[in-house]
Amino acid sequence: MLFTEEEYRELEYEALTAQMARHMISESGDVQEKLCQEHAKIANAYNAISGHQESMKFSDEWENMEGDISFGDHETFTTQEYLHMWDIQEMYYDMNAFESDMNTQIYLANAPEGTTTCDTIMEVTTRGPNYSTGDTIYGKVYIPKHLGNEIQRRFGRNTPLCKITYNGCETSRESENIRMPWKLTEIL
């Protein structure tokens, strides 16, 4: 016969309290009082665990930590609001990637047949010694070193209008070891 986690916890609690009850009978009055206090603490802990387990059956991803130790000082908002903001931060990249993929699919579906380039405004997000990266509404853009230098020289921190070429879907890029969905081909 298999027991659920809740049934095991209940059996353990009953066995412990039954053992304490037998022990209390043979003790003096002052020891019985201490054992009664211990029994009350165990009963409270058991009820707290049971209540917590029951509340978690219908909760969201984050555990409600109200009145508990949490990270930092959150006097200006509740812990649940803080955790909700953390959820949004965790999903930020995924949400942007999804929107970029959707914009790419819409563009490619409506572009003339065989067209894999588009003109768009691009923000340079990182500059490296060998290449730079940019960001557009269509996703991340690989910027070759010579074009990255030209953008820096001509535009500084302003966002240039560029021609970018689609590198293919994620699966096809992986087979060619290409990480970014777009490549800068021309600065307009």
Side-chain angles (χ1 to χ4, degrees):
M1 177 177 197
L2 296 175
F3 293 104
T4 66
E5 182 181 334
E6 189 175 337
E7 290 170 330
Y8 274 123
R9 192 172 43 250
E10 198 171 307
L11 286 170
E12 187 176 42
Y13 171 73
E14 288 175 2
L16 179 61
T17 54
Q19 179 185 7
M20 287 184 79
R22 286 190 304 274
H23 189 69
M24 275 191 257
I25 294 170
S26 63
E27 292 296 332
S28 63
D30 59 330
V31 174
Q32 282 182 347
E33 186 177 325
K34 287 180 183 178
L35 288 173
C36 281
Q37 290 171 356
E38 287 298 313
H39 182 272
K41 287 179 184 177
I42 291 171
N44 288 338
Y46 173 76
N47 291 333
I49 288 171
S50 297
H52 176 74
Q53 289 288 355
E54 188 64 29
S55 71
M56 291 304 293
K57 287 181 183 176
F58 305 105
S59 68
D60 58 4
E61 178 182 357
W62 293 99
E63 183 174 343
N64 185 352
M65 297 170 64
E66 291 296 324
D68 199 352
I69 297 172
S70 59
F71 304 101
D73 182 15
H74 310 298
E75 291 179 7
T76 57
F77 49 85
T78 67
T79 305
Q80 207 62 27
E81 289 170 326
Y82 171 78
L83 295 175
H84 177 70
M85 288 168 38
W86 189 253
D87 275 343
I88 291 171
Q89 180 61 32
E90 285 181 332
M91 294 184 296
Y92 181 75
Y93 173 79
D94 292 336
M95 290 186 306
N96 286 341
F98 175 77
E99 287 178 8
S100 297
D101 286 344
M102 296 282 52
N103 289 337
T104 297
Q105 289 178 26
I106 291 168
Y107 175 78
L108 293 174
N110 294 314
E113 191 173 330
T115 302
T116 59
T117 62
C118 74
D119 299 343
T120 186
I121 300 219
M122 179 187 66
E123 177 185 351
V124 177
T125 53
T126 59
R127 297 184 192 281
N130 300 320
Y131 68 94
S132 298
T133 62
D135 204 10
T136 69
I137 63 168
Y138 303 110
K140 293 296 254 178
V141 178
Y142 169 81
I143 304 171
K145 184 177 182 177
H146 70 283
L147 291 174
N149 292 338
E150 186 178 340
I151 289 172
Q152 178 70 26
R153 183 179 52 77
R154 284 178 47 194
F155 298 96
R157 294 198 176 273
N158 295 332
T159 55
L161 179 63
C162 300
K163 183 178 289 295
I164 58 176
T165 302
Y166 186 58
N167 285 327
C169 67
E170 189 172 355
T171 307
S172 64
R173 289 194 319 265
E174 283 177 2
S175 66
E176 296 298 320
N177 202 22
I178 298 172
R179 297 183 69 197
M180 288 175 236
W182 295 90
K183 178 180 179 179
L184 175 65
T185 52
E186 185 181 346
I187 303 167
L188 303 174

